[in-house]
Amino acid sequence: MNKFMLIYNQMVDKIEKGEYPPSTLLPSENELKDSFQTSRETIRKALNLLSQNGYIQKIRGKGSVVIDITKMNLPVSGLVSFKELAEKMGREPITTVHELSLIHPDRELTSHLNPHPKDLIWKVVRTREIGGEKVILDKDYLLKSAVPTLTKEVCEDSIYSYIENQLGLQISFAKKEILIEEPTEEDHSFLDIDGFHNVVVIRSQVFLEDASLFQYTESRHRPDKFRFVDFARRRPTV
Amino acid sequence: MNKFMLIYNQMVDKIEKGEYPPSTLLPSENELKDSFQTSRETIRKALNLLSQNGYIQKIRGKGSVVIDITKMNLPVSGLVSFKELAEKMGREPITTVHELSLIHPDRELTSHLNPHPKDLIWKVVRTREIGGEKVILDKDYLLKSAVPTLTKEVCEDSIYSYIENQLGLQISFAKKEILIEEPTEEDHSFLDIDGFHNVVVIRSQVFLEDASLFQYTESRHRPDKFRFVDFARRRPTV
DNA sequence: AAGTGGTCTAGACCACACT
DNA sequence: GTGTGGTCTAGACCACTTT
């Protein structure tokens, strides 16, 4: 692993264990440079990562303040799969696969997924169950040219971990849009949403390391189980 | 302005104008270094900014691909005030101030805003009107110790621009939480939400440059006017 | 082999905060 | 003035892709 990543991880540990307490200053970049036996620019890379992820605030002329994370509910927003999410919340997730098929894209799907002509698309429809209730309906569309095979078992576990660990593909970024809609008949038939008047719809486009779009997902959440946390800096960390 | 910022801005221009077309490679870092007459590390800072903001994808051994932004609806999520937001959407926003008062924090507010004992808090209640309909209810709480004076005129314009331009304070980051709730009586009396069964609630803590928390905001949106866009990278850009 | 981006170094100068 | 973080440089070596 990179040197700056090792330093970053060690410093995250120390912050989370309270060795660098909230609202105090970290050692200066020059002190850290000496104690980690590296150059200042490498220290700065580690500190910039801490800053981007909401652990510290750098103040010119003063130092780097440890931000009080007890007031900050969750990690930074990002690409998190359902499985990771549920595990973090300490619940046992149940995934049910309702459909797994190869389709030709229609016009709407084409506008979201940009397939080459004649590309086939995997369509996966799944519900997610937490605490005995079906609260999430996921409709995934994946380019067959990127993911040649897909099985029910993979879909019941985690498509992401299959793609990254088995196929060796790297997911690099995603664009998401969050909207509120009224439940469709499909929502009513797959989810436990009696008495709810809205669903939260998250539409995502997911891209691989070569910037190619390979997946479009529509994730429909019962509103009472939806929570989104965001940490945003006003200025870039360079 | 910084050199890397100038280079970044120029390259954003070229990408948006199509001089660097989507899905093509940028000039290599060494070529850019020569043409901008700078060092490679400075070029890399500009490129990392482009990467963080979703303009390019860097691929080791190959180059930097321009991402097709026509498929990406809006700029990266971040701290955007209502005024900036409405102006971007080309609508004339109307802000109505319903309350502007100094209060002592109760227990719930204390937990969100962490005031010193005896700190007074500005409470500002405003509605936002777009297209003739009141669709957003904003309840802001600001530490008087950070913002000594506040007027109705400022609240009707933009509290943020007053804080940054008049007071000279720098807002540095914010933590947001997005949830769906049922409308309260207050929502019904201030907003045009007849026939809607949910509101989108965005609770934010806003921090200054010295990492001090100075504002807590609850922003309540009519669900049909709510849209949140997010761009997330899986790996850090360093 | 040549070219690309990724990492790391050592040093310089600057803007800013403290004392 | 001293110490802090912010910027910039020139050079080196590495991992990876392409020819």
Side-chain angles (χ1 to χ4, degrees), chain A residues 97-162:
Chain A
V97 179
H98 297 275
E99 180 179 346
L100 169 59
S101 58
L102 272 172
I103 62 171
H104 294 276
D106 61 12
R107 196 153 87 207
E108 199 209 335
L109 192 51
T110 297
S111 77
H112 290 126
L113 198 47
N114 252 4
H116 286 110
K118 297 185 185 169
D119 258 2
L120 284 177
I121 314 279
W122 287 109
K123 177 179 180 182
V124 185
V125 178
R126 297 177 289 181
T127 51
R128 318 295 203 153
E129 197 172 326
I130 303 181
E133 290 184 302
K134 290 178 177 153
V135 292
I136 302 176
L137 173 64
D138 276 351
K139 296 158 74 175
D140 296 277
Y141 303 90
L142 301 100
L143 289 187
K144 185 168 187 301
S145 55
V147 184
T149 63
L150 205 52
T151 65
K152 203 178 166 211
E153 288 68 37
V154 164
C155 296
E156 280 166 349
D157 187 30
S158 167
I159 296 182
Y160 272 20
S161 77
Y162 171 69

Side-chain angles (χ1 to χ4, degrees), chain B residues 99-132:
Chain B
E99 181 178 347
L100 169 59
S101 60
L102 274 172
I103 62 170
H104 293 276
D106 62 12
R107 198 152 87 207
E108 199 209 336
L109 192 51
T110 297
S111 79
H112 289 125
L113 199 47
N114 253 5
H116 287 110
K118 296 187 187 170
D119 259 0
L120 284 177
I121 314 279
W122 287 109
K123 177 179 181 184
V124 186
V125 179
R126 298 177 288 182
T127 52
R128 320 293 205 153
E129 197 172 326
I130 304 180

Side-chain angles (χ1 to χ4, degrees), chain B residues 176-235:
Chain B
K176 298 184 189 188
E177 177 186 45
I178 303 178
L179 295 168
I180 314 297
E181 296 185 358
E182 292 180 8
T184 62
E185 285 195 15
E186 194 180 33
D187 294 327
H188 276 110
S189 67
F190 283 122
L191 296 177
D192 295 324
I193 53 168
D194 283 354
F196 291 93
H197 297 85
N198 288 111
V199 288
V200 182
V201 182
I202 305 170
R203 300 203 171 87
S204 315
Q205 292 173 308
V206 188
F207 297 79
L208 296 176
E209 212 172 16
D210 63 353
S212 68
L213 173 61
F214 87 107
Q215 179 183 2
Y216 171 71
T217 295
E218 187 173 307
S219 189
R220 307 176 69 86
H221 295 232
R222 203 171 79 181
D224 63 324
K225 295 295 183 188
F226 176 79
R227 179 159 170 271
F228 186 86
V229 177
D230 187 53
F231 174 80
R233 285 203 170 273
R234 184 127 192 168
R235 300 184 179 288

Side-chain angles (χ1 to χ4, degrees), chain B:
Chain B
M1 188 176 284
N2 313 331
K3 197 178 279 195
F4 71 81
M5 218 39 173
L6 285 169
I7 297 173
Y8 167 75
N9 286 331
Q10 287 183 43
M11 298 188 77
V12 166
D13 267 1
K14 290 192 180 177
I15 289 174
E16 290 180 345
K17 284 180 184 159
E19 287 182 47
Y20 295 142
S23 305
T24 65
L25 290 176
L26 289 183
S28 75
E29 295 181 351
N30 276 314
E31 288 168 342
L32 290 168
K33 173 196 75 180
D34 293 339
S35 70
F36 283 103
Q37 302 211 40
T38 181
S39 69
R40 194 177 147 221
E41 285 292 347
T42 299
I43 291 293
R44 284 177 57 75
K45 284 189 181 178
L47 293 185
N48 283 339
L49 271 189
L50 290 173
S51 169
Q52 283 173 32
N53 292 327
Y55 286 103
I56 64 169
Q57 172 73 7
K58 307 185 87 181
I59 306 175
R60 187 201 298 234
K62 293 177 81 171
S64 298
V65 189
V66 179
I67 294 176
D68 190 350
I69 43 176
T70 63
K71 296 282 161 198
M72 326 264 295
N73 323 38
L74 261 191
V76 176
S77 73
L79 290 178
V80 186
S81 77
F82 169 74
K83 200 181 175 190
E84 297 170 79
L85 203 67
E87 279 166 359
K88 219 162 237 172
M89 295 171 65
R91 316 232 183 143
E92 193 52 41
I94 300 177
T95 298
T96 308
V97 179
H98 296 276
E99 181 178 347
L100 169 59
S101 60
L102 274 172
I103 62 170
H104 293 276
D106 62 12
R107 198 152 87 207
E108 199 209 336
L109 192 51
T110 297
S111 79
H112 289 125
L113 199 47
N114 253 5
H116 287 110
K118 296 187 187 170
D119 259 0
L120 284 177
I121 314 279
W122 287 109
K123 177 179 181 184
V124 186
V125 179
R126 298 177 288 182
T127 52
R128 320 293 205 153
E129 197 172 326
I130 304 180
E133 291 184 302
K134 290 179 177 153
V135 292
I136 302 176
L137 173 64
D138 275 350
K139 297 159 73 175
D140 295 277
Y141 303 91
L142 301 99
L143 289 187
K144 185 169 188 299
S145 55
V147 185
T149 63
L150 205 53
T151 66
K152 203 179 166 210
E153 289 68 38
V154 164
C155 295
E156 279 166 350
D157 186 31
S158 168
I159 297 182
Y160 272 21
S161 77
Y162 170 71
I163 286 170
E164 295 211 306
N165 301 330
Q166 304 300 314
L167 297 184
L169 297 175
Q170 276 291 337
I171 293 166
S172 69
F173 61 94
K175 198 205 77 53
K176 298 184 189 188
E177 177 186 45
I178 303 178
L179 295 168
I180 314 297
E181 296 185 358
E182 292 180 8
T184 62
E185 285 195 15
E186 194 180 33
D187 294 327
H188 276 110
S189 67
F190 283 122
L191 296 177
D192 295 324
I193 53 168
D194 283 354
F196 291 93
H197 297 85
N198 288 111
V199 288
V200 182
V201 182
I202 305 170
R203 300 203 171 87
S204 315
Q205 292 173 308
V206 188
F207 297 79
L208 296 176
E209 212 172 16
D210 63 353
S212 68
L213 173 61
F214 87 107
Q215 179 183 2
Y216 171 71
T217 295
E218 187 173 307
S219 189
R220 307 176 69 86
H221 295 232
R222 203 171 79 181
D224 63 324
K225 295 295 183 188
F226 176 79
R227 179 159 170 271
F228 186 86
V229 177
D230 187 53
F231 174 80
R233 285 203 170 273
R234 184 127 192 168
R235 300 184 179 288
T237 62
V238 200

Side-chain angles (χ1 to χ4, degrees), chain A residues 186-201:
Chain A
E186 193 180 33
D187 295 327
H188 276 110
S189 68
F190 283 123
L191 296 177
D192 295 324
I193 52 168
D194 283 355
F196 291 93
H197 297 84
N198 288 110
V199 289
V200 182
V201 182

Side-chain angles (χ1 to χ4, degrees), chain A residues 5-236:
Chain A
M5 218 39 174
L6 285 169
I7 297 173
Y8 166 76
N9 287 330
Q10 288 183 43
M11 297 188 77
V12 166
D13 267 2
K14 289 191 180 178
I15 289 174
E16 289 180 344
K17 284 180 184 160
E19 287 182 47
Y20 295 142
S23 304
T24 64
L25 291 176
L26 289 183
S28 75
E29 295 180 351
N30 276 314
E31 288 168 341
L32 290 168
K33 173 196 75 179
D34 294 339
S35 70
F36 283 102
Q37 302 211 40
T38 180
S39 70
R40 194 177 147 220
E41 285 293 347
T42 298
I43 291 296
R44 283 178 57 75
K45 284 189 181 177
L47 293 185
N48 283 340
L49 271 189
L50 290 172
S51 169
Q52 284 173 32
N53 292 327
Y55 286 104
I56 64 169
Q57 172 72 9
K58 307 184 87 180
I59 307 175
R60 186 201 298 233
K62 293 176 81 171
S64 298
V65 189
V66 178
I67 294 175
D68 191 350
I69 42 176
T70 62
K71 296 281 161 197
M72 325 264 296
N73 323 38
L74 261 190
V76 177
S77 72
L79 290 178
V80 186
S81 77
F82 170 74
K83 199 181 175 189
E84 297 170 79
L85 203 66
E87 279 165 0
K88 219 164 235 170
M89 295 170 66
R91 316 232 184 142
E92 193 51 42
I94 300 177
T95 298
T96 309
V97 179
H98 297 275
E99 180 179 346
L100 169 59
S101 58
L102 272 172
I103 62 171
H104 294 276
D106 61 12
R107 196 153 87 207
E108 199 209 335
L109 192 51
T110 297
S111 77
H112 290 126
L113 198 47
N114 252 4
H116 286 110
K118 297 185 185 169
D119 258 2
L120 284 177
I121 314 279
W122 287 109
K123 177 179 180 182
V124 185
V125 178
R126 297 177 289 181
T127 51
R128 318 295 203 153
E129 197 172 326
I130 303 181
E133 290 184 302
K134 290 178 177 153
V135 292
I136 302 176
L137 173 64
D138 276 351
K139 296 158 74 175
D140 296 277
Y141 303 90
L142 301 100
L143 289 187
K144 185 168 187 301
S145 55
V147 184
T149 63
L150 205 52
T151 65
K152 203 178 166 211
E153 288 68 37
V154 164
C155 296
E156 280 166 349
D157 187 30
S158 167
I159 296 182
Y160 272 20
S161 77
Y162 171 69
I163 287 171
E164 295 212 305
N165 300 329
Q166 303 300 314
L167 297 184
L169 296 175
Q170 276 291 338
I171 292 165
S172 70
F173 61 93
K175 197 205 78 51
K176 298 185 188 187
E177 177 187 43
I178 303 178
L179 295 168
I180 314 297
E181 295 185 359
E182 292 179 9
T184 62
E185 284 194 17
E186 193 180 33
D187 295 327
H188 276 110
S189 68
F190 283 123
L191 296 177
D192 295 324
I193 52 168
D194 283 355
F196 291 93
H197 297 84
N198 288 110
V199 289
V200 182
V201 182
I202 305 171
R203 300 204 170 87
S204 315
Q205 291 173 307
V206 188
F207 297 78
L208 296 176
E209 211 171 17
D210 63 353
S212 68
L213 174 60
F214 88 107
Q215 178 182 3
Y216 172 71
T217 296
E218 188 172 309
S219 189
R220 307 175 69 87
H221 295 233
R222 204 171 78 181
D224 63 323
K225 294 296 182 189
F226 176 78
R227 178 158 172 271
F228 186 85
V229 178
D230 187 51
F231 174 80
R233 285 204 171 272
R234 184 127 192 167
R235 300 182 180 289

